[in-house]
Amino acid sequence: MSAAKHTPGPWALHPRFTAEVWAARRRIANCKGLGEERTDAANARLIAAAPDLLDVLIQCRAVLSTVLGETSADDEPKHSVLTRRIQAADAVIAKAREVQP
């Protein structure tokens, strides 16, 4: 998969405007007015965490792939679960990067 084209992290909430997400001294998201103030702030926190979440998912996917390689194909239930989780991770990573898995 290709590298992400989004603004590199870290992303953070603006210190005064908690519904705004900033990175590299630029506003990258404004959640104000999308719902109640608490909901706007919660949406902004989730968006601010997105680069970190993507990085962790990529690392978890690598670990799952390693475990799958060490799992006997005879252990079908475990093999199947690992394969499905890797496919799910690949789909989410591709969605974040706007590429086909």
Side-chain angles (χ1 to χ4, degrees):
M1 285 186 212
S2 64
K5 296 180 176 121
H6 59 74
T7 302
W11 293 4
L13 297 179
H14 188 280
R16 289 191 335 220
F17 308 110
T18 59
E20 291 185 3
V21 180
W22 287 68
R25 297 175 45 185
R26 292 182 15 206
R27 183 176 66 190
I28 59 170
N30 182 0
C31 297
K32 186 170 175 65
L34 300 177
E36 294 182 17
E37 188 174 331
R38 286 184 344 180
T39 302
D40 292 348
N43 289 338
R45 285 192 304 274
L46 182 59
I47 292 168
D52 297 327
L53 292 169
L54 179 58
D55 289 344
V56 169
L57 178 59
I58 290 167
Q59 293 169 24
C60 288
R61 191 253 183 245
V63 170
L64 287 174
S65 185
T66 299
V67 172
L68 178 62
E70 297 169 352
T71 302
S72 169
D74 295 336
D75 188 354
E76 177 55 34
K78 186 175 184 180
H79 204 269
S80 179
V81 167
L82 289 169
T83 299
R84 286 195 312 271
R85 294 299 90 207
I86 290 169
Q87 291 169 341
D90 286 345
V92 172
I93 293 165
K95 183 178 179 181
R97 292 182 168 171
E98 291 189 334
V99 296
Q100 297 299 315

